[in-house]
C-alpha cells in the first residue's frame, strides 16, 4: 500500500500510523543521542502512573516508546524526562498531581533542560488543562488518553522548540497497533481488548475522558497474545472498562465469550483473567465460556456499587438488586468455587439508611472474597455531581460499618482451600520473609511459601498449610516428603 506523506521542512513525513510514529521515533532518537553524548551519560526517564490497570498498560506502551527513542528508565523523578500518566476517577487524584507538579518545579530549577509531560484521564478535562497552563507553566507536554501513541511526535515538536505542546483529542475511533511496549512483568501482561465506555453511570467521569467504546480486532488481540506467550508470558489480564460489551463496534461483531474461547486455544498460555465486567451484560454465553475454558481463572470482579435498586436506578446501572443476585447464582451454579470480588460506593447522593441496609444485605448474601469500598466522590461534569449530597459524618459511619462487614466475611471465606494442594503462579520474592516467595492462586488469593528467585514466573504446586485471613502460608509439594 502506497505510504502517504506530508512535507515537514525538507522531510516527507508519513501520515499513516504507526509508520508516522516510527518516523518520529527515529528523529527523536538522533536528538536524544546527541544530548546524551553532550552529557556523557544516557538520558533517563521516569513514568509515574496513577489509577487503574488500563493506565498501567498505557504506561508500558509509553515506556516502550521512550526506550525505543533511547531513554533509560529510572525510578527517581530527578530524571531528564518525567511523565505523569494521570487518573481523575476521584477528585483527590487531581489534587495529588497538582501537589507533585509543585515538587517537580523545584527539581526543574536545578535541571532546566529537564522535560515534564502529563497525559491520561485528568488531561481530558478542560478545567485541569487550563489550570496546568496557568499555574504550572514548567510543564512541557500535555496529551490525553486517545493519543498516547503520539508521544514521539509530541516530544519531537518540543525538542524542535515549541513552548508547551498541548494535544488533546475529544474522542477517536482510531486504535494504533504494533508500537513498542515495555511490560513490567516477564511472565504476565495486561492486554487491552477495548477502550472507552458507553454506560454513563451517573457518578462516573470515565466515559467523558476515555470516549466511546471501540474494540480491537480479535486477530490483533490473538496475535499480541501469541507474541507475549512466545516471549515467556503465562498469564494475561484482558482489559476494558466493560469487557462484556466487547466487539459490538467491529465490522464483523465477535462476542467476548467467543473471544475468550479463541484465546483459550493458544498453546503455552496458562491463565486468562479479565476486568472489568458490568453486571448488566454478563451473558449466559459468557458464563458458559468461563465454565468451559480451562485457562479462565476462577475469579470474577463484578462491581455492585449499591445493593439498593432505587439507588442503582439513579446511578444508571441498569440492573436491580434481584438481577444482580440472580446473576451471582447463575455464575456460582456454573463455576461453584469461583472467587467473587466487587466495588461498592457508599454515600451516593440521596442514599438513605434503608438503601445502605440493602447494600449490607447483598454483601451478606453474596459473601465476597473481597471488596473495594469507596466513599462517593463528586466528579464535576457528571449528573450525580448536581444531586443533593449525603452529610459527611453519615457517609463515614456507613463506610466503617460496610468495611467491617466486608472484612469479617472475607476473613471467613478466604481460607476455604486450606489443607489442599493448589497451583500458584510465583510473582516475586516475599519482601517480608527471607527465603520465601509470593504468588497467586487462580482465584487471585496470595500465597507465601519457601522458595527462591528460580521459581518466579513459574506455576508450581503448593500445599496450603494455613490461612491467614486474606492470604495463605504454604509449602512447595516437592518438599512434602521431607
Ligand atoms: S461502566 Fe460505569 S463505572 Fe464503569 S467505566 Fe463505564 S461509566 Fe464508569
Amino acid at each position: 500500500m502506497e505510504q502517504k506523506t506530508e512535507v515537514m521542512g525538507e522531510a516527507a513525513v508519513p501520515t499513516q500510523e504507526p509508520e508516522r510514529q516510527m518516523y518520529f521515533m527515529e528523529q527523536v532518537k538522533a536528538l536524544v543521542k546527541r544530548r546524551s553524548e553532550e552529557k556523557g551519560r544516557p538520558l533517563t526517564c521516569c513514568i509515574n502512573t496513577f489509577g487503574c490497570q488500563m493506565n498501567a498498560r498505557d504506561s508500558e506502551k509509553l515506556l516502550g516508546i521512550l526506550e525505543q527513542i533511547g531513554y533509560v528508565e529510572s525510578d527517581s523523578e530527578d530524571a531528564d524526562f518525567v511523565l505523569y500518566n494521570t487518573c481523575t476517577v476521584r477528585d483527590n487524584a487531581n489534587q495529588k498531581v497538582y501537589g507533585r507538579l509543585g515538587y517537580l518545579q523545584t527539581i526543574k530549577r536545578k535541571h532546566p533542560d529537564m522535560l515534564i509531560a502529563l497525559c491520561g484521564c485528568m488531561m481530558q478535562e478542560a478545567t485541569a488543562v487550563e489550570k496546568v497552563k496557568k499555574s504550572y507553566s514548567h510543564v512541557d507536554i500535555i496529551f490525553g488518553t486517545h493519543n498516547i501513541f503520539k508521544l514521539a511526535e509530541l516530544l519531537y515538536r518540543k525538542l524542535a522548540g515549541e513552548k508547551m505542546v498541548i494535544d488533546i483529542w475529544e474522542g477517536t475511533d482510531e486504535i494504533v497497533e504494533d508500537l513498542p511496549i515495555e511490560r513490567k512483568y516477564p511472565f504476565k501482561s495486561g492486554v487491552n481488548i477495548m477502550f472507552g465506555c458507553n454506560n454513563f453511570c451517573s457518578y462516573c467521569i470515565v466515559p467523558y475522558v476515555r470516549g466511546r467504546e471501540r474494540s480491537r480486532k480479535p486477530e490483533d488481540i490473538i496475535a499480541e497474545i501469541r507474541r507475549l506467550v512466545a516471549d515467556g508470558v503465562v498469564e494475561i489480564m484482558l482489559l476494558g472498562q466493560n469487557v462484556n460489551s466487547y466487539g459490538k463496534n467491529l465490522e464483523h461483531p465477535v462476542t467476548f465469550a467467543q473471544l475468550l474461547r479463541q484465546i483459550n486455544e493458544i498453546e503455552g498460555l496458562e491463565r486468562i483473567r479479565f476486568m472489568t465486567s458490568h453486571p448488566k451484560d454478563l451473558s449466559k454465553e459468557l458464563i458458559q465460556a468461563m465454565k468451559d475454558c480451562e485457562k479462565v481463572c476462577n475469579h470474577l470482579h463484578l462491581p455492585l456499587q449499591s445493593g439498593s435498586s432505587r439507588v442503582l436506578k439513579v446511578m444508571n446501572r441498569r440492573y436491580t438488586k434481584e438481577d444482580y443476585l440472580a446473576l451471582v447464582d447463575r455464575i456460582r451454579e456454573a463455576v461453584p468455587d469461583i472467587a467473587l470480588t466487587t466495588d461498592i460506593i457508599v454515600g451516593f447522593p440521596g442514599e438513605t439508611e434503608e438503601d445502605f441496609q440493602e447494600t449490607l444485605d447483598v454483601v451478606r448474601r453474596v459473601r465476597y472474597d473481597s471488596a473495594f469500598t469507596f466513599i462517593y466522590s463528586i466528579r464535576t461534569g457528571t449528573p450525580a455531581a448536581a444531586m443533593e449530597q449525603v452529610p459527611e459524618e453519615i457517609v463515614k459511619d456507613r463506610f466503617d460499618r460496610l468495611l467491617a462487614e466486608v472484612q469479617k466475611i472475607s476473613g471467613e471465606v478466604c481460607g476455604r482451600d486450606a489443607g489442599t494442594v493448589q497451583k500458584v503462579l510465583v510473582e516475586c520474592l516475599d519482601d517480608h520473609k527471607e527465603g520465601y516467595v509470593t504468588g497467586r492462586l487462580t482465584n487471585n488469593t496470595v500465597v507465601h511459601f519457601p522458595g527462591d528467585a528460580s521459581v518466579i514466573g513459574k506455576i508450581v504446586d503448593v500445599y496450603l498449610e494455613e490461612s491467614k485471613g486474606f492470604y495463605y502460608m504454604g509449602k512447595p509439594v516437592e518438599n512434602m516428603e521431607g
Side-chain angles (χ1 to χ4, degrees):
M1 180 172 68
E2 192 260 328
Q3 173 54 254
K4 292 205 192 68
T5 62
E6 64 176 349
V7 178
M8 283 172 84
E10 309 305 305
V13 181
T15 54
Q16 269 116 341
E17 302 291 3
E19 292 76 11
R20 183 178 178 82
Q21 295 317 308
M22 300 300 187
Y23 167 84
F24 281 112
M25 278 191 255
E26 285 313 306
Q27 302 305 308
V28 178
K29 197 171 182 171
L31 298 170
V32 166
K33 188 163 178 295
R34 199 183 313 148
R35 276 203 177 185
S36 67
E37 280 158 3
E38 286 158 10
K39 290 179 183 291
R41 62 169 177 77
L43 297 194
T44 56
C45 68
C46 174
I47 299 181
N48 197 337
T49 305
F50 300 81
C52 67
Q53 294 199 38
M54 298 287 281
N55 257 15
R57 184 61 176 162
D58 284 351
S59 290
E60 292 182 339
K61 294 173 182 171
L62 294 161
L63 182 60
I65 294 169
L66 290 172
E67 290 191 342
Q68 181 88 11
I69 286 172
Y71 282 95
V72 173
E73 187 182 17
S74 155
D75 292 340
S76 155
E77 290 189 356
D78 190 351
D80 299 293
F81 185 80
V82 175
L83 171 58
Y84 280 5
N85 187 2
T86 65
C87 166
T88 192
V89 79
R90 271 173 287 282
D91 186 54
N92 59 9
N94 289 25
Q95 298 316 320
K96 225 188 282 178
V97 169
Y98 294 137
R100 301 290 311 166
L101 287 176
Y103 163 69
L104 283 181
Q105 188 167 32
T106 60
I107 300 180
K108 190 157 182 172
R109 287 211 184 91
K110 285 181 276 167
H111 306 296
D113 59 3
M114 159 191 198
L115 295 177
I116 298 170
L118 301 175
C119 71
C121 294
M122 184 181 160
M123 294 306 115
Q124 290 291 141
E125 294 184 292
T127 48
V129 174
E130 283 317 306
K131 183 170 172 68
V132 172
K133 282 162 68 178
K134 200 157 128 280
S135 317
Y136 304 98
S137 56
H138 56 286
V139 170
D140 301 285
I141 301 173
I142 301 178
F143 55 116
T145 58
H146 302 306
N147 57 347
I148 61 158
F149 64 86
K150 279 188 73 178
L151 176 56
E153 182 172 347
L154 303 176
L155 202 41
Y156 178 81
R157 284 170 48 188
K158 178 63 197 174
L159 295 173
E162 256 183 74
K163 183 134 180 21
M164 185 188 272
V165 177
I166 301 178
D167 192 356
I168 309 286
W169 296 9
E170 273 312 301
T172 181
D173 53 9
E174 188 170 9
I175 294 176
V176 176
E177 299 282 353
D178 305 328
L179 284 171
I181 298 179
E182 182 59 38
R183 70 175 183 276
K184 191 166 177 202
Y185 299 97
F187 52 85
K188 68 174 183 176
S189 180
V191 174
N192 297 105
I193 63 168
M194 63 183 295
F195 305 90
C197 184
N198 295 354
N199 290 319
F200 290 92
C201 301
S202 60
Y203 52 82
C204 184
I205 196 77
V206 172
Y208 306 91
V209 294
R210 287 267 175 189
R212 295 295 63 69
E213 285 173 7
R214 52 212 191 276
S215 299
R216 294 176 66 195
K217 296 196 199 85
E219 57 270 27
D220 291 331
I221 296 169
I222 301 287
E224 180 184 356
I225 297 172
R226 287 194 193 292
R227 284 195 302 273
L228 289 168
V229 169
D231 193 33
V233 165
V234 292
E235 177 180 297
I236 53 159
M237 169 69 85
L238 303 175
L239 295 169
Q241 305 297 355
N242 175 23
V243 293
N244 299 349
S245 54
Y246 169 79
K248 292 188 176 146
N249 72 309
L250 290 172
E251 204 181 334
H252 309 291
V254 171
T255 66
F256 183 47
Q258 290 163 336
L259 178 71
L260 267 186
R261 289 183 185 281
Q262 290 179 36
I263 294 172
N264 193 60
E265 299 307 311
I266 297 176
E267 282 294 309
L269 182 63
E270 307 260 359
R271 289 181 171 187
I272 304 170
R273 299 185 184 279
F274 56 85
M275 71 187 308
T276 301
S277 276
H278 194 300
K280 77 172 176 30
D281 45 14
L282 202 155
S283 64
K284 288 194 175 72
E285 184 208 7
L286 178 55
I287 294 174
Q288 191 59 42
M290 290 165 66
K291 180 178 181 179
D292 298 346
C293 297
E294 73 286 354
K295 296 175 184 175
V296 172
C297 291
N298 58 340
H299 165 232
L300 177 68
H301 187 66
L302 192 66
L304 169 71
Q305 305 302 9
S306 172
S308 154
S309 295
R310 189 193 69 76
V311 170
L312 287 169
K313 190 154 182 32
V314 186
M315 283 179 163
N316 190 29
R317 292 288 289 172
R318 282 168 279 166
Y319 55 85
T320 64
K321 174 185 180 181
E322 291 66 33
D323 296 338
Y324 187 93
L325 291 171
L327 175 62
V328 167
D329 290 348
R330 285 198 297 278
I331 293 164
R332 284 202 165 129
E333 200 184 317
V335 190
D337 64 346
I338 195 160
L340 284 177
T341 58
T342 194
D343 296 335
I344 300 173
I345 293 174
V346 174
F348 180 80
E351 181 191 67
T352 63
E353 180 59 25
E354 289 70 42
D355 294 322
F356 178 65
Q357 286 302 326
E358 292 282 290
T359 297
L360 286 178
D361 184 44
V362 173
V363 167
R364 291 182 186 121
R365 291 163 69 172
V366 174
R367 295 181 63 74
Y368 294 103
D369 285 64
S370 71
F372 297 96
T373 51
F374 305 99
I375 286 182
Y376 169 74
S377 169
I378 298 179
R379 298 311 297 127
T380 314
T382 63
M387 299 175 188
E388 196 204 329
Q389 307 298 317
V390 179
E392 216 172 302
E393 66 284 1
I394 292 179
V395 176
K396 185 76 187 62
D397 162 62
R398 288 178 189 162
F399 181 81
D400 295 345
R401 283 188 279 149
L402 174 67
L403 197 58
E405 190 68 32
V406 163
Q407 289 181 340
K408 179 171 76 62
I409 292 170
S410 182
E412 291 160 5
V413 299
C414 272
R416 60 181 171 279
D417 295 319
T420 68
V421 172
Q422 299 287 339
K423 292 202 172 304
V424 174
L425 171 56
V426 184
E427 298 203 345
C428 55
L429 296 175
D430 182 344
D431 43 23
H432 298 294
K433 201 163 182 176
E434 188 72 26
Y436 273 61
V437 291
T438 299
R440 287 181 186 274
L441 304 177
T442 60
N443 74 6
N444 216 29
T445 307
V446 169
V447 183
H448 305 289
F449 63 98
D452 60 31
S454 67
V455 292
I456 292 177
K458 298 213 169 43
I459 296 181
V460 297
D461 290 330
V462 177
Y463 173 70
L464 305 181
E465 283 179 305
E466 188 190 359
S467 165
K468 296 281 190 182
F470 307 115
Y471 64 90
Y472 292 99
M473 295 307 290
K475 192 185 241 179
V477 165
E478 84 266 0
N479 296 8
M480 293 289 281
E481 288 76 40

